[in-house]
PDB file of all heavy atoms in Angstrom:
ATOM      1  N   LEU A 215      86.298 141.364 262.117  1.00 59.00           N
ATOM      2  CA  LEU A 215      86.662 140.645 260.907  1.00 59.00           C
ATOM      3  C   LEU A 215      87.527 139.465 261.291  1.00 59.00           C
ATOM      4  O   LEU A 215      88.127 139.444 262.359  1.00 59.00           O
ATOM      5  CB  LEU A 215      87.453 141.538 259.947  1.00 59.00           C
ATOM      6  CG  LEU A 215      86.736 142.702 259.252  1.00 59.00           C
ATOM      7  CD1 LEU A 215      87.760 143.571 258.534  1.00 59.00           C
ATOM      8  CD2 LEU A 215      85.696 142.203 258.275  1.00 59.00           C
ATOM      9  N   ASP A 216      87.590 138.483 260.409  1.00 66.00           N
ATOM     10  CA  ASP A 216      88.570 137.434 260.632  1.00 66.00           C
ATOM     11  C   ASP A 216      89.558 137.440 259.477  1.00 66.00           C
ATOM     12  O   ASP A 216      89.388 138.165 258.491  1.00 66.00           O
ATOM     13  CB  ASP A 216      87.903 136.058 260.796  1.00 66.00           C
ATOM     14  CG  ASP A 216      87.117 135.623 259.565  1.00 66.00           C
ATOM     15  OD1 ASP A 216      87.472 136.038 258.443  1.00 66.00           O
ATOM     16  OD2 ASP A 216      86.147 134.868 259.731  1.00 66.00           O
ATOM     17  N   ALA A 217      90.619 136.649 259.611  1.00 70.00           N
ATOM     18  CA  ALA A 217      91.690 136.674 258.620  1.00 70.00           C
ATOM     19  C   ALA A 217      91.183 136.312 257.223  1.00 70.00           C
ATOM     20  O   ALA A 217      91.601 136.898 256.227  1.00 70.00           O
ATOM     21  CB  ALA A 217      92.802 135.716 259.040  1.00 70.00           C
ATOM     22  N   GLY A 218      90.260 135.349 257.158  1.00 75.00           N
ATOM     23  CA  GLY A 218      89.731 134.922 255.866  1.00 75.00           C
ATOM     24  C   GLY A 218      89.019 136.041 255.136  1.00 75.00           C
ATOM     25  O   GLY A 218      89.170 136.210 253.914  1.00 75.00           O
ATOM     26  N   GLU A 219      88.265 136.848 255.861  1.00 76.00           N
ATOM     27  CA  GLU A 219      87.547 137.967 255.245  1.00 76.00           C
ATOM     28  C   GLU A 219      88.520 139.022 254.727  1.00 76.00           C
ATOM     29  O   GLU A 219      88.311 139.596 253.653  1.00 76.00           O
ATOM     30  CB  GLU A 219      86.578 138.586 256.259  1.00 76.00           C
ATOM     31  CG  GLU A 219      85.400 137.687 256.582  1.00 76.00           C
ATOM     32  CD  GLU A 219      84.553 138.242 257.719  1.00 76.00           C
ATOM     33  OE1 GLU A 219      85.137 138.741 258.702  1.00 76.00           O
ATOM     34  OE2 GLU A 219      83.317 138.176 257.617  1.00 76.00           O
ATOM     35  N   VAL A 220      89.574 139.272 255.488  1.00 77.00           N
ATOM     36  CA  VAL A 220      90.577 140.240 255.054  1.00 77.00           C
ATOM     37  C   VAL A 220      91.262 139.756 253.782  1.00 77.00           C
ATOM     38  O   VAL A 220      91.431 140.512 252.819  1.00 77.00           O
ATOM     39  CB  VAL A 220      91.616 140.490 256.162  1.00 77.00           C
ATOM     40  CG1 VAL A 220      92.766 141.358 255.643  1.00 77.00           C
ATOM     41  CG2 VAL A 220      90.969 141.164 257.359  1.00 77.00           C
ATOM     42  N   LEU A 221      91.664 138.492 253.763  1.00 80.00           N
ATOM     43  CA  LEU A 221      92.348 137.943 252.595  1.00 80.00           C
ATOM     44  C   LEU A 221      91.466 137.985 251.364  1.00 80.00           C
ATOM     45  O   LEU A 221      91.905 138.344 250.273  1.00 80.00           O
ATOM     46  CB  LEU A 221      92.790 136.509 252.877  1.00 80.00           C
ATOM     47  CG  LEU A 221      93.846 136.312 253.971  1.00 80.00           C
ATOM     48  CD1 LEU A 221      94.171 134.835 254.137  1.00 80.00           C
ATOM     49  CD2 LEU A 221      95.109 137.092 253.659  1.00 80.00           C
ATOM     50  N   ASN A 222      90.191 137.608 251.526  1.00 80.00           N
ATOM     51  CA  ASN A 222      89.267 137.603 250.387  1.00 80.00           C
ATOM     52  C   ASN A 222      89.011 139.013 249.865  1.00 80.00           C
ATOM     53  O   ASN A 222      88.779 139.210 248.665  1.00 80.00           O
ATOM     54  CB  ASN A 222      87.942 136.949 250.783  1.00 80.00           C
ATOM     55  CG  ASN A 222      88.079 135.446 250.978  1.00 80.00           C
ATOM     56  OD1 ASN A 222      88.956 134.811 250.393  1.00 80.00           O
ATOM     57  ND2 ASN A 222      87.225 134.877 251.802  1.00 80.00           N
ATOM     58  N   THR A 223      89.043 139.997 250.759  1.00 77.00           N
ATOM     59  CA  THR A 223      88.849 141.385 250.349  1.00 77.00           C
ATOM     60  C   THR A 223      90.044 141.894 249.554  1.00 77.00           C
ATOM     61  O   THR A 223      89.892 142.608 248.554  1.00 77.00           O
ATOM     62  CB  THR A 223      88.632 142.289 251.577  1.00 77.00           C
ATOM     63  OG1 THR A 223      87.463 141.854 252.277  1.00 77.00           O
ATOM     64  CG2 THR A 223      88.443 143.745 251.157  1.00 77.00           C
ATOM     65  N   LEU A 224      91.244 141.516 249.992  1.00 83.00           N
ATOM     66  CA  LEU A 224      92.460 142.012 249.355  1.00 83.00           C
ATOM     67  C   LEU A 224      92.738 141.325 248.021  1.00 83.00           C
ATOM     68  O   LEU A 224      93.104 141.972 247.040  1.00 83.00           O
ATOM     69  CB  LEU A 224      93.657 141.822 250.280  1.00 83.00           C
ATOM     70  CG  LEU A 224      93.680 142.641 251.571  1.00 83.00           C
ATOM     71  CD1 LEU A 224      94.916 142.285 252.397  1.00 83.00           C
ATOM     72  CD2 LEU A 224      93.666 144.134 251.274  1.00 83.00           C
ATOM     73  N   LYS A 225      92.582 140.008 247.998  1.00 81.00           N
ATOM     74  CA  LYS A 225      92.981 139.235 246.820  1.00 81.00           C
ATOM     75  C   LYS A 225      92.211 139.659 245.572  1.00 81.00           C
ATOM     76  O   LYS A 225      90.999 139.747 245.580  1.00 81.00           O
ATOM     77  CB  LYS A 225      92.781 137.737 247.076  1.00 81.00           C
ATOM     78  CG  LYS A 225      93.841 137.125 247.962  1.00 81.00           C
ATOM     79  CD  LYS A 225      93.793 135.608 247.977  1.00 81.00           C
ATOM     80  CE  LYS A 225      92.493 135.074 248.536  1.00 81.00           C
ATOM     81  NZ  LYS A 225      92.525 133.589 248.649  1.00 81.00           N
ATOM     82  N   GLY A 226      92.946 139.901 244.516  1.00 71.00           N
ATOM     83  CA  GLY A 226      92.342 140.193 243.230  1.00 71.00           C
ATOM     84  C   GLY A 226      91.843 141.608 243.055  1.00 71.00           C
ATOM     85  O   GLY A 226      91.262 141.947 242.022  1.00 71.00           O
TER      86      GLY A 226
END
Side-chain angles (χ1 to χ4, degrees):
L215 291 171
D216 61 28
E219 290 173 319
V220 172
L221 295 180
N222 289 334
T223 299
L224 294 178
K225 284 192 297 185

